[in-house]
Amino acid sequence: MNKILILDFGSQVTQLIGRRLREINVYCEIYPYNKMPALDDTVKGVILSGSPCSVRDAGAPQLDLALVKGKRPLLGICYGAQYIAHCCGGKVEGSLAREYGRAMLDVLRPDSPLLEGVSLHTQVWMSHGDTISRLPDGAEVIASTPEVPFAAYQIAGEQTYAVQFHPEVFHTVEGARILSNFALGICGCKGDWTPDSFIETTVADLRAKLGDDKVILGLSGGVDSTVAGVLLNKAVGHNLTCIFVNNGLLRKNEFESVLESYRDMGLNVIGADASQAFLEALSGVSEPEAKRKIIGKLFIETFDRYARGIENARWLAQGTIYPDVIESAGIPGIASKIKSHHNVGGLPEEMHLKVVEPLRMLFKDEVRRVGRALGIKEELVGRHPFPGPSLAVRILGDVTEEKLRVLREADDIFIRGLRSYDCTGMGFPSASDPRVMATNLYDAIWQAGVILLPVRSVGVMGDERTYEHPVALRAVVSTDAMTADWFPLPYDFLSDISNEIINKVRGVNRVVYDISSKPPATIEWE
């Protein structure tokens, strides 16, 4: 399969480059700049990402350009553009005024393969403190802005291109066209990375890798583990055993309904009900990290106990996706992006199971596209992310059966309300597939839930004062959970949901809506 390599110099939006390429069905892989793999025949081009560093810094990330330049089509973005200029005899200087935000790009060479079909005057997004003050010998400017004379350039005699703006971000209006020109036109990629091709290739690879071995998969009810389960089921059938643990902290009727859905899909699934054990272990515990550790430890013990009952199992399957495995390490002053998240992370090594991760090269939106191509019900494919510790981190303070009852009832009203509210024509794109418009509020939102607050609120019901719990509604939009914006729920919806929760949920007398974005807040409250 042909692909594009993206070398990450620490930019916060490097993943967006990959997502944009995948959107035009071009397969790509992201590597730290200092861990570039060999350029085999499958590599059709290389992209150098941006970076918060300056090429003029003593400790700036560096790459031996001789490994790439002239050997494959090369595109430098922001820091990447400046690094190419810096290494090839050009000059990069600190700007008097850092250029950040929207800028208008003037295309000077519309015949350039990189800018083919791009408007002569178009909006781009800048984010840099340095600027190129002199191009290398043999380089030609192909676009500029009023503040950046060398906003884009190409080097004569080779397929090396560079832009000082970010084509991957939404605010660069024709950025997708520029990336498409590079990947499909200059690099000659076929654009055949589709859900159907992924399914066909992955199922064949899984069959070859797993053979007749038995596989165990921990299901969570979320889209990642569900899609992983269906793929594995297509590959190994009855040799797959799935374990769905009920920790007693799931949403209303969730254990039963999700378990039934899995069985309807033909999955061999064990329902492990350990709800009482979890509630007893959490009794009297209020500190958030302590709750997480208790839940994680008990989950592992429960999963382990059921897994050991499956004879001759050789593999542990996990729903790991691409953002979980992308690294950006070893860059001075830049925090690592390594993210450890596995459905059964921490499972004892003495089980001696090998790990298989069928989704490890997919972004979340691609997992959903694959799920739809597999025929999985939309109610599972389009499910919002749900925290691993479940409702325990949406109950601020200690967890009790009574608090769980209150939270489940309020949450059920909120989620059902989101699903039933018709937002057709309101202009909200679907959070799980932005190429289509959402028809209900649930589909327009990335993640939603209710938080039970650890305070009491004075209220009046009838002729009596009440002293009961307030609850907070939370609904956000995001692409990868690294950042999130609060969702503008319609006033009439908020009014109706508030009234229904207060009238129907015993123990709640006040409803508030959280309008904090991430950062500075987080999506969950704990």
Side-chain angles (χ1 to χ4, degrees):
M1 177 181 298
N2 55 63
K3 62 189 175 188
I4 301 291
L5 291 186
I6 301 168
L7 300 185
D8 183 14
F9 288 88
S11 170
Q12 291 185 347
V13 292
T14 297
Q15 286 191 32
L16 280 181
I17 305 173
R19 291 173 63 86
R20 296 295 174 258
L21 291 176
R22 298 281 184 91
E23 286 170 2
I24 57 173
N25 299 328
V26 171
Y27 181 66
C28 60
E29 294 179 2
I30 300 173
Y31 292 90
Y33 73 93
N34 55 355
K35 296 183 181 179
M36 186 184 79
L39 298 181
D40 59 28
D41 291 340
T42 66
V43 178
K44 300 302 180 183
V46 177
I47 295 177
L48 309 184
S49 83
S51 173
C53 301
S54 165
V55 299
R56 299 176 297 113
D57 293 343
Q62 297 184 34
L63 169 74
D64 183 359
L65 279 181
L67 297 173
V68 180
K69 188 172 174 290
K71 294 180 172 61
R72 295 289 190 281
L74 179 64
L75 173 62
I77 293 175
C78 198
Y79 178 92
Q82 294 168 0
Y83 188 75
I84 293 171
H86 176 74
C87 292
C88 297
K91 189 173 183 180
V92 177
E93 297 182 297
S95 300
L96 293 176
R98 182 173 184 264
E99 185 163 43
Y100 180 86
R102 295 175 178 84
M104 295 309 298
L105 185 77
D106 291 314
V107 174
L108 307 178
R109 286 290 307 272
D111 59 332
S112 168
L114 186 68
L115 302 179
E116 181 181 350
V118 175
S119 303
L120 295 180
H121 195 58
T122 186
Q123 177 182 289
V124 297
W125 185 264
M126 293 284 188
S127 180
H128 57 89
D130 289 350
T131 193
I132 299 170
S133 59
R134 185 181 71 239
L135 289 177
D137 291 341
E140 177 185 8
V141 60
I142 57 176
S144 65
T145 74
E147 300 296 328
V148 183
F150 306 128
Y153 65 90
Q154 62 188 36
I155 295 182
E158 58 185 71
Q159 294 178 308
T160 297
Y161 301 85
V163 295
Q164 288 197 87
F165 54 88
H166 286 273
E168 69 273 27
V169 303
F170 172 78
H171 299 295
T172 296
V173 175
E174 297 179 78
R177 180 60 184 261
I178 294 170
L179 290 174
S180 177
N181 285 343
F182 180 73
L184 298 176
I186 296 167
C187 298
C189 291
K190 295 179 181 179
D192 55 0
W193 173 250
T194 64
D196 288 336
S197 69
F198 172 82
I199 293 168
E200 180 181 356
T201 301
T202 301
V203 169
D205 289 346
L206 287 171
R207 285 173 178 160
K209 183 175 187 176
L210 303 176
D212 292 327
D213 290 350
K214 290 189 176 181
V215 184
I216 303 172
L217 169 67
L219 290 172
S220 67
V223 61
D224 299 338
S225 66
T226 300
V227 173
V230 174
L231 274 172
L232 285 159
N233 191 49
K234 285 178 70 71
V236 301
H238 66 278
N239 280 334
L240 171 68
T241 300
C242 304
I243 299 173
F244 181 30
V245 176
N246 181 10
N247 58 14
L249 306 166
L250 302 176
R251 284 172 153 151
K252 185 176 180 180
N253 301 324
E254 184 171 29
F255 181 63
E256 296 79 9
S257 63
V258 172
L259 197 59
E260 182 180 351
S261 294
Y262 283 146
R263 287 170 175 160
D264 287 345
M265 292 158 57
L267 295 180
N268 175 25
V269 58
I270 297 171
D273 190 353
S275 53
Q276 197 58 41
F278 277 85
L279 290 177
E280 290 174 0
L282 288 167
S283 178
V285 179
S286 298
E287 204 277 320
E289 190 59 27
K291 288 193 289 186
R292 289 178 181 272
K293 287 180 178 178
I294 289 170
I295 293 167
K297 180 175 182 294
L298 193 51
F299 177 86
I300 290 169
E301 291 173 356
T302 304
F303 186 91
D304 187 13
R305 184 170 68 253
Y306 280 85
R308 287 182 184 278
I310 302 168
E311 294 183 1
N312 301 318
R314 296 287 182 268
W315 296 85
L316 174 66
Q318 299 185 148
T320 311
I321 62 175
Y322 201 33
D324 301 332
V325 299
I326 294 173
E327 289 186 352
S328 180
I331 304 174
I334 301 176
S336 171
K337 288 185 189 173
I338 299 172
K339 176 186 176 186
S340 296
H341 170 75
H342 300 294
N343 294 338
V344 287
L347 199 66
E349 292 183 2
E350 58 265 25
M351 287 189 70
H352 302 299
L353 296 178
K354 294 180 285 187
V355 174
V356 58
E357 299 168 316
L359 307 180
R360 66 179 283 111
M361 299 310 295
L362 296 185
F363 290 102
K364 175 72 80 173
D365 52 340
E366 292 176 313
V367 176
R368 289 193 168 103
R369 289 172 63 193
V370 168
R372 293 184 177 103
L374 286 166
I376 299 174
K377 295 179 188 176
E378 187 62 32
E379 64 190 64
L380 289 173
V381 174
R383 285 193 70 176
H384 292 175
F386 191 57
S390 308
L391 297 181
V393 292
R394 292 182 179 174
I395 295 175
L396 306 192
D398 65 326
V399 178
T400 67
E401 290 195 35
E402 173 59 16
K403 290 180 180 179
L404 281 167
R405 179 197 65 78
V406 171
L407 182 55
R408 282 195 181 106
E409 293 297 331
D411 180 84
D412 184 59
I413 290 171
F414 184 38
I415 298 301
R416 284 192 293 105
L418 292 173
R419 289 188 182 277
S420 63
Y421 190 97
D422 185 358
C423 67
T424 305
M426 297 180 69
F428 295 133
S430 169
S432 65
D433 188 352
R435 297 169 301 174
V436 300
M437 302 308 291
T439 58
N440 63 74
L441 288 176
Y442 184 91
D443 289 345
I445 290 166
W446 163 270
Q447 188 170 350
V450 179
I451 297 92
L452 183 66
L453 304 184
V455 295
R456 297 281 180 165
S457 168
V458 175
V460 177
M461 290 187 178
D463 295 324
E464 298 181 357
R465 281 184 176 273
T466 61
Y467 197 54
E468 297 178 335
H469 288 286
V471 296
L473 310 182
R474 184 76 161 133
V476 299
V477 287
S478 180
T479 56
D480 52 19
M482 294 177 66
T483 61
D485 290 323
W486 63 277
F487 186 85
L489 289 173
Y491 289 150
D492 62 328
F493 172 83
L494 287 170
S495 175
D496 291 344
I497 292 300
S498 175
N499 287 338
E500 187 174 356
I501 289 175
I502 291 172
N503 289 335
K504 293 183 178 180
V505 182
R506 188 179 70 255
V508 175
N509 67 356
R510 189 179 299 267
V511 176
V512 299
Y513 186 44
D514 181 351
I515 58 169
S516 309
S517 294
K518 177 186 179 182
T522 55
I523 295 176
E524 300 293 340
W525 280 42
E526 283 193 346

